[in-house]
Amino acid sequence: MVLATWLQDAFGFTTRLNAVVAGVAMALAVVPAVFTVSEDAPAAVPRSYREASFALGATAWETAFRVVLPAAAPGVLAAVVLGFGRSIGETMIVLMASGNAAITSWNLGDSVRTLSATIAAEMGEVVFGDAHYTVLFFIGVELFVLTFLLNGAAAWAVRRLVRRMTGGAA
């Protein structure tokens, strides 16, 4: 309530609940989780990696960028994928902060509704086996395929990044 009113006053939106408010609310929900997991990734790199790098004469910066970062890259990318998955599947924040309009608009100041919020808002009122039920089920399958493709792309990106950062050794 406070965030929506403040953003409406600051940016002059015509509707209080809109895509920008939902985006800021999602950022406030997702960023701490991504940050926490990303912070743990470099800490999980074995101390022996750092010690070996220093023993070979590397500076602290070289150790950080050429040893610790490549070893922590899968954990950091896992945190990003976790954040994307959380934001794609989040229902209630978007349902309450976006205005819940079933009409799509390119204006971020207008009310919107995501796919997961559509399922949550309409599933309780739909007749089992009806065409509407089938469409909602299709939306769920679409979200699953999108998440599956996102995870596949992230796995490919992790392999490519680690290969590039380690000079093809991994």
Side-chain angles (χ1 to χ4, degrees):
M1 303 286 295
V2 173
L3 178 67
T5 304
W6 184 82
L7 287 173
Q8 184 182 21
D9 292 342
F11 296 108
F13 295 131
T14 55
T15 57
R16 209 173 104 249
L17 300 176
N18 54 47
V20 174
V21 173
V24 170
M26 286 299 302
L28 291 173
V30 171
V31 168
V34 173
F35 180 79
T36 306
V37 176
S38 295
E39 185 181 27
D40 291 340
V45 175
R47 185 168 178 80
S48 61
Y49 285 19
R50 292 178 185 89
E51 291 172 354
S53 178
F54 290 136
L56 290 172
T59 65
W61 283 101
E62 288 173 332
T63 300
F65 284 105
R66 295 187 181 221
V67 176
V68 176
L69 190 59
V76 173
L77 286 173
V80 171
V81 170
L82 180 70
F84 271 125
R86 167 105 194 254
S87 64
I88 288 171
E90 184 60 56
T91 302
M92 295 315 291
I93 291 175
V94 177
L95 195 61
M96 295 184 336
S98 68
N100 196 21
I103 300 170
T104 304
S105 172
W106 288 104
N107 184 4
L108 297 178
D110 290 341
S111 296
V112 295
R113 184 193 287 176
T114 63
L115 295 174
S116 58
T118 299
I119 294 171
E122 297 178 10
M123 187 57 86
E125 300 172 0
V126 70
V127 177
F128 180 77
D130 191 19
H132 190 191
Y133 177 82
T134 306
V135 169
L136 292 178
F137 191 83
F138 176 75
I139 291 172
V141 170
E142 184 179 19
L143 284 170
F144 173 76
V145 169
L146 179 65
T147 305
F148 183 78
L149 291 175
L150 179 68
N151 286 335
W156 174 80
V158 166
R159 282 193 305 271
R160 184 168 182 214
L161 180 69
V162 169
R163 190 177 307 126
R164 195 177 90 215
M165 293 181 94
T166 58

